[in-house]
């Protein structure tokens, strides 16, 4: 009970931040693409990956950016991406494996795309090249869609599954790591999942909390919001909306927490374009309004905490 009270107290600290603390992340890089979403940061903090997508989301590739001498270099398409619909990368905790989602065919000789599966690539060292992609197979992948991998330090594997047979929307699942083997995935309890859409779940490395996306919930601020649930001795707490410090009236999704720097990264379709102006705009002013960072397209945002609201 003491642990539960402490977690709820730290949750309240989260709300002490103001909206101005949310800032664009890598604005000069992100604005090169129509839509950017679902960031992953390597354990050393010197490499990131994100999904770059077309305006309507028909094309999706994983882009990588490296930091050298404290500066982020030009973005590149990841060596394993660029041919198929790829998205949602996640680094293993040693940085030697990267999981991602793709509709690429299982057999290299086939041109027929599959449903969404979780794949991975490996490398021998942090500066080595990535291997060819490998499908995770059973028990993670099925004939249904699997999305957004996130892994705790103990190897427990969290992800989203779309199973139409259950007559409900996307749910968040966990596959336990038992002696190096992943068990049959189980849906998380109804304190997290509902009959609606739950997706994009980030699990804390120590499994103390889960941040995820919920769509059009009764306590939502608009479209999709980010929620948090704490893992206590009594089980997962009822998910709570992270509030207007983080969530907007538009779609907010794809959370990632860098626990080393105490920073939350997420994707938002935040739209602060204006409808009325004091004076008629010039063409340049109109284009500036169109091209502002928070113009309703998917962009990356970040907020750094002065305290640790997720510490248990």
């Amino acid at each position: 009970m003491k642990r539960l009270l402490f977690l709820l107290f730290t949750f309240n600290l989260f709300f002490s931040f103001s909206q101005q603390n949310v800032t664009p992340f890598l604005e000069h890089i992100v604005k090169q693409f129509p839509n950017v979403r679902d960031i992953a940061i390597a354990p050393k903090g010197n490499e990131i990956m994100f999904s770059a997508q077309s305006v309507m989301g028909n094309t999706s590739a994983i882009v990588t950016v490296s930091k050298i001498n404290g500066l982020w270099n030009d973005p590149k398409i990841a060596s394993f991406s660029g041919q198929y619909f790829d998205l949602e990368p996640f680094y293993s905790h040693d940085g030697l494996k990267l999981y991602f989602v793709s509709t690429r065919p299982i057999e290299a000789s086939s041109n027929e795309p599959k449903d969404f599966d979780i794949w991975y690539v490996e490398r021998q060292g942090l500066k080595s090249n990535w291997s060819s992609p490998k499908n995770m197979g059973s028990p993670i992948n099925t004939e249904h869609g699997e999305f957004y991998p996130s892994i705790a330090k103990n190897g427990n594997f969290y992800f989203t599954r779309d199973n139409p047979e259950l007559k409900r929307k996307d749910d968040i699942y966990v596959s336990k790591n038992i002696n190096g083997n992943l068990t049959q995935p189980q849906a998380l309890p109804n304190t997290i999942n509902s009959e609606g859409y739950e997706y994009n779940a980030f699990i804390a490395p120590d499994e103390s909390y889960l941040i995820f996306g919920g769509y059009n919930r009764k306590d939502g601020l608009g479209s999709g919001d980010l929620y948090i649930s704490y893992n206590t001795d009594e089980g997962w707490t009822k998910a709570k909306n992270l509030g207007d410090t983080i969530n907007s009236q538009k779609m907010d999704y794809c959370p990632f927490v860098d626990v080393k720097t105490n920073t939350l990264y997420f994707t938002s379709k935040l739209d602060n374009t204006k409808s009325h102006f004091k004076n008629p705009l010039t063409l340049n002013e109109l284009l500036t309004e169109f091209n502002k960072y928070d113009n309703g397209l998917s962009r990356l945002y970040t907020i750094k905490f002065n305290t640790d609201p997720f510490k248990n």
Side-chain angles (χ1 to χ4, degrees), residues 221-269:
L221 302 182
S223 190
D225 284 358
L226 294 181
Y227 289 79
I228 190 167
S229 174
Y230 294 105
N231 190 5
T232 72
D233 296 335
E234 290 79 21
W236 288 101
T237 62
K238 183 178 180 181
K240 291 190 176 183
N241 190 300
L242 284 183
D244 59 8
T245 296
I246 303 299
N247 292 314
S248 67
Q249 294 180 351
K250 304 300 180 180
M251 186 75 175
D252 303 293
Y253 57 124
C254 296
F256 178 89
V257 178
D258 185 343
V259 295
K260 292 181 179 179
T261 61
N262 206 22
T263 305
L264 169 68
Y265 299 84
F266 65 102
T267 305
S268 179
K269 292 188 176 182

Side-chain angles (χ1 to χ4, degrees), residues 58-111:
N58 297 322
T59 304
S60 184
I62 294 176
V63 171
T64 181
V65 187
S66 298
K67 182 185 286 185
I68 299 178
N69 296 325
L71 298 176
W72 291 106
N73 281 7
D74 292 335
K76 298 178 181 179
I77 295 180
S79 60
F80 54 86
S81 191
Q83 183 176 1
Y84 303 102
F85 194 99
D86 302 328
L87 70 165
E88 298 178 350
F90 185 87
Y91 286 93
S92 63
H93 292 282
D94 61 7
L96 299 180
K97 186 178 287 188
L98 183 113
Y99 299 85
F100 67 100
V101 175
S102 180
T103 59
R104 63 186 60 213
I106 297 291
E107 301 296 333
S109 59
S110 173
N111 290 322

Side-chain angles (χ1 to χ4, degrees), residues 33-301:
F33 305 96
N35 288 293
V36 168
R37 50 166 290 179
D38 47 70
I39 186 174
I41 301 178
K44 295 290 186 180
N46 60 349
E47 181 182 48
I48 65 173
M49 292 200 187
F50 57 78
S51 301
Q53 299 186 331
S54 59
V55 173
M56 299 303 294
N58 297 322
T59 304
S60 184
I62 294 176
V63 171
T64 181
V65 187
S66 298
K67 182 185 286 185
I68 299 178
N69 296 325
L71 298 176
W72 291 106
N73 281 7
D74 292 335
K76 298 178 181 179
I77 295 180
S79 60
F80 54 86
S81 191
Q83 183 176 1
Y84 303 102
F85 194 99
D86 302 328
L87 70 165
E88 298 178 350
F90 185 87
Y91 286 93
S92 63
H93 292 282
D94 61 7
L96 299 180
K97 186 178 287 188
L98 183 113
Y99 299 85
F100 67 100
V101 175
S102 180
T103 59
R104 63 186 60 213
I106 297 291
E107 301 296 333
S109 59
S110 173
N111 290 322
E112 288 295 323
K114 192 182 180 298
D115 63 295
F116 287 98
D117 272 355
I118 297 176
W119 295 67
Y120 67 92
V121 289
E122 300 174 287
R123 56 186 177 185
Q124 294 297 316
L126 296 180
K127 295 184 179 179
S128 302
N129 295 327
W130 292 108
S131 68
S132 298
K134 302 174 184 179
N135 189 286
M136 283 200 70
S138 178
I140 301 300
N141 292 325
T142 64
E143 70 274 16
H144 309 302
E146 283 79 31
F147 305 89
Y148 215 79
S150 184
I151 308 169
K153 275 196 172 180
N154 61 11
N156 288 348
F157 196 97
Y158 291 75
F159 65 99
T160 301
R161 177 177 286 168
D162 174 19
N163 186 352
E165 295 176 1
L166 298 180
K167 296 182 179 179
R168 50 194 285 154
K169 310 302 182 183
D170 297 0
D171 280 335
I172 299 166
Y173 286 72
V174 60
S175 175
K176 298 292 184 66
N177 176 29
I178 306 297
N179 298 322
N181 296 311
L182 291 175
T183 62
Q184 192 66 34
Q186 299 294 321
L188 294 183
N190 291 338
T191 52
I192 293 173
N193 287 319
S194 70
E195 293 184 357
Y197 290 95
E198 285 77 38
Y199 47 87
N200 298 162
F202 173 87
I203 186 65
D206 62 359
E207 290 191 300
S208 59
Y209 63 87
L210 184 89
I211 301 178
F212 66 96
Y215 187 72
N216 273 351
R217 288 192 166 199
K218 291 182 179 179
D219 60 348
L221 302 182
S223 190
D225 284 358
L226 294 181
Y227 289 79
I228 190 167
S229 174
Y230 294 105
N231 190 5
T232 72
D233 296 335
E234 290 79 21
W236 288 101
T237 62
K238 183 178 180 181
K240 291 190 176 183
N241 190 300
L242 284 183
D244 59 8
T245 296
I246 303 299
N247 292 314
S248 67
Q249 294 180 351
K250 304 300 180 180
M251 186 75 175
D252 303 293
Y253 57 124
C254 296
F256 178 89
V257 178
D258 185 343
V259 295
K260 292 181 179 179
T261 61
N262 206 22
T263 305
L264 169 68
Y265 299 84
F266 65 102
T267 305
S268 179
K269 292 188 176 182
L270 181 65
D271 187 358
N272 282 325
T273 53
K274 299 178 181 179
S275 301
H276 304 283
F277 302 89
K278 185 176 181 180
N279 298 304
L281 299 179
T282 65
L283 180 58
N284 285 339
E285 290 171 336
L286 180 64
L287 293 176
T288 298
E289 187 69 17
F290 287 165
N291 294 322
K292 64 186 350 179
Y293 192 82
D294 47 353
N295 63 359
L297 296 176
S298 289
R299 304 296 198 198
L300 299 179
Y301 293 87

